[in-house]
Amino acid sequence: NRATALLTSEEERDQVAALNLVAGKRAKKAAAVAPALSYLTVGSALMARDGWHRRHDLVFELELHRAECEFLNGDIASAEQRLTLLSSRAATVVERCAVACLVADVSWPLQQTERGLVACLECLRSAGLEIPMHPTKTQAQAAYDRICSKLEDIGIDELVELPLLSDSTSRAILDVVAKVTTTATMTDVNLASLLVCAAVDIGLERGHCDSSCFAYEYLGYLAGWHFGDFEAAGRFSRLAHELIARKGLRRFESYICNISCACIMP
């Protein structure tokens, strides 16, 4: 990075920008937010001239991780400004989902939970998953009953052996559901029910991923405390833990264990 002024070709600038993205992601993963932000800022500067036209994918990822690091570093204003830019630049469902998830993260500490909900629901709607902002109890019950009828005659072993989800678009949609469900529970448990049931439905149709474990565990929580079915709650929770143990889908493991210990096992 000290020698970026000596770079003469677009190809070289792209290569160094890509290296800064790798370094920034590794630093962020190690919770070294300030160095991560430094790397990502240099990478973005290298692509500033016409990067959006030449390497949209690279610039988008640099700017997305940069916005997250700004948020984690306490620079909320810069993060918000960057998210506004990214919202207008997102070209695919996967990119729109990534922006929506980060908007939800930023909205939470600012106590703007409805903003995060709206962003995520609009994103899901654009991806073909139509979920109303304020569903009725009847709609929530119907969604829960439909999922229970699908799962009724399928054993846990059979469910665990369903294929893993390889479609990146479906994975991104499920990530949005997982990101916004907790917020939805605090504002409208019927909305949370529709979100979780939709996530389980996608997993049954297309395969499981980390977010599927979250969906089954949260379905267990809702089954017991919203629909009064604690027997089903225990079964759904066991399914989530079996998926983690057998398939290694550990991204939400701590959160799942927390729900299980605090809300279902008692």
Side-chain angles (χ1 to χ4, degrees):
N1 284 339
R2 292 173 183 168
T4 52
L6 303 178
L7 296 173
T8 57
S9 71
E10 286 182 347
E11 183 181 1
E12 286 179 330
R13 295 173 74 86
D14 292 354
Q15 288 174 351
V16 177
L19 286 173
N20 274 284
L21 174 60
V22 173
K25 289 166 70 173
R26 287 185 180 177
K28 180 163 69 76
K29 188 175 181 179
V33 178
L37 183 55
S38 177
Y39 294 132
L40 296 164
T41 301
V42 173
S44 294
L46 287 167
M47 305 298 295
R49 191 180 306 165
D50 59 350
W52 281 112
H53 299 291
R54 291 188 302 102
R55 291 291 309 276
H56 174 97
D57 56 337
L58 176 57
V59 179
F60 184 89
E61 201 168 356
L62 281 163
E63 292 293 296
L64 182 71
H65 287 284
R66 186 178 174 188
E68 185 177 3
C69 286
E70 287 170 338
F71 163 60
L72 293 171
N73 213 35
D75 190 353
I76 303 296
S78 294
E80 295 245 52
Q81 186 176 10
R82 206 164 306 285
L83 282 171
T84 301
L85 168 67
L86 286 166
S87 296
S88 66
R89 293 283 191 173
T92 65
V93 171
V94 173
E95 290 182 351
R96 287 193 291 272
C97 286
V99 174
C101 285
L102 193 49
V103 169
D105 279 338
V106 173
S107 300
W108 181 268
L110 296 178
Q111 298 183 355
Q112 298 173 356
T113 52
E114 185 166 342
R115 174 195 171 202
L117 276 173
V118 169
C120 288
L121 291 178
E122 286 180 352
C123 175
L124 293 173
R125 193 173 297 116
S126 71
L129 192 60
E130 190 76 34
I131 296 178
M133 182 73 170
H134 299 291
T136 64
K137 169 71 172 178
T138 301
Q139 289 175 306
Q141 185 71 57
Y144 176 74
D145 290 343
R146 184 169 56 83
I147 287 298
C148 286
S149 67
K150 284 188 174 186
L151 296 171
E152 187 175 10
D153 298 323
I154 309 177
I156 287 179
D157 288 339
E158 187 178 348
L159 287 166
V160 170
E161 291 309 316
L162 288 174
L164 294 178
L165 182 60
S166 57
D167 175 36
S168 59
T169 298
S170 297
R171 291 174 69 93
I173 291 170
L174 289 175
D175 282 348
V176 173
V177 173
K179 180 67 69 176
V180 77
T181 295
T182 304
T183 303
T185 304
M186 299 180 67
T187 58
D188 188 337
V189 71
N190 294 325
L191 173 57
S193 300
L194 259 63
L195 286 164
V196 169
C197 288
V200 171
D201 217 10
I202 291 173
L204 291 173
E205 290 179 5
R206 307 175 195 176
H208 289 140
C209 64
D210 295 87
S211 299
S212 302
C213 304
F214 170 90
Y216 283 121
E217 187 67 36
Y218 220 91
L219 182 63
Y221 164 74
L222 292 169
W225 293 103
H226 188 49
F227 297 105
D229 189 352
F230 281 96
E231 184 178 351
R235 180 169 177 257
F236 296 146
S237 179
R238 287 195 301 273
L239 175 55
H241 286 278
E242 287 297 324
L243 275 172
I244 292 171
R246 298 194 209 178
K247 299 296 185 181
L249 302 173
R250 301 189 177 279
R251 181 175 161 202
F252 293 97
E253 184 175 16
S254 60
Y255 192 81
I256 288 166
C257 288
N258 185 35
I259 296 175
S260 178
C261 292
C263 302
I264 295 177
M265 288 175 66

